[in-house]
Amino acid sequence: MHNSLDVITLGEAMAMFVASETGDLADVERFIKRVAGAELNVATGLARLGLKVSWVSRVGNDVLGQFVLNCLEKERISTQGVTIDGRFPTGFQLKSKVEDGTDPTVAYFRKGSAASHLSTDDFNAPLFYSARHLHLSGVAAALSNSSLELLNHAARAMKAQGKTISFDPNLRPVLWESETRMVRELNQLAFQADWVLPGLKEGAILTGQSTPEGIADFYLDRGVQAVILKTGSDGAWYKTATGEHGAVAAMTVENVVDTVGAGDGFAVGVISALLEGRTLDQAVHRGNRIGALAIQVQGDSEGLPTREQLGEA
């Protein structure tokens, strides 16, 4: 019997080689090894806050796969749902170093990775059903048709069990054959979620709406319980199925180091707070706070706080 979990999520983790000097990636000679992946960032942030988390994926039978497993163990994230698939390699990426707050350059080496072969075979029902919440991201949906099928199966199964579901679109247009299919498939996932967390630009692409309320109503009219929009420098805006809505101002950050991972940090704050029974307004405040912490360090998850570092009452 699996131990009871707070959250289960699934997706791809890659080894990430972060440049230790600025400049064109082709010219950089020194890198620092880290781990990356949108869903794994969220799992890491939730685990640091003390939640019991499992992450489902596949890694290759190689040194990078072992590195990913070591990182999971360090963060106390359950590896029960991780398969070592010796047929395919673990993906990796190179990431440039920036010091002016601009988005870094990222070069991906993930085609044909072990995680891209995720499928419904990776749905371990007892493991999934032991969690009270499922978090999904559009990144895993874009990996392959079989991975997308797994996400849809997991969403339907968890919804049937009465579990809550969150969905972050995390648009990756380059991984989709067309924008039309991306919009169709991601919206189908979003409609099964309780909480949808798009960025404002993402929401406009997915819904055809140009205002936060228009984007929110698009999903609320289809059964979603709450839509929380990341509105950039303005912070965040939310609306619920009962009509409750509000804006939460962004936190001021004097020194933006690396913008990658901000949205994952926001998701960590919102999901953790809602699972603790806090109000949506409190959850969005926490999301803004952790998102702000994430952009003040280099690396995707280095800025995600522990419960002690968060320091909330």
Side-chain angles (χ1 to χ4, degrees), residues 9-12 37-40 42 134-143 147-148 151 165-172 176 186 189 264:
T9 187
L10 57 151
E12 178 171 31
E39 302 86 1
L40 183 53
V42 174
L134 170 68
H135 176 68
L136 298 176
S137 157
V139 180
L143 291 177
S147 181
L148 175 62
L151 265 66
I165 302 171
S166 54
F167 178 68
D168 186 339
N170 253 323
L171 299 190
R172 298 292 191 273
W176 292 92
L186 294 188
L189 283 168
D264 300 331

Side-chain angles (χ1 to χ4, degrees), residues 276-289:
E276 291 168 15
R278 300 200 177 219
T279 67
L280 186 54
D281 191 77
Q282 290 172 327
V284 177
H285 271 91
R286 183 186 287 182
N288 280 352
R289 185 176 178 197

Side-chain angles (χ1 to χ4, degrees), residues 98-118:
V98 293
E99 296 178 335
D100 57 2
T102 59
D103 291 341
T105 300
V106 181
Y108 294 97
F109 300 85
R110 73 195 310 176
K111 187 174 182 180
S113 68
S116 70
H117 291 84
L118 279 164

Side-chain angles (χ1 to χ4, degrees), residues 46-73:
L46 293 172
R48 287 184 188 171
L49 293 178
L51 281 76
K52 294 180 180 179
V53 184
S54 186
W55 176 76
V56 175
S57 190
R58 296 190 188 192
V59 297
N61 186 20
D62 47 39
V63 293
L64 297 183
Q66 187 58 54
F67 171 63
V68 170
L69 293 173
N70 292 346
C71 291
L72 291 166
E73 183 177 357

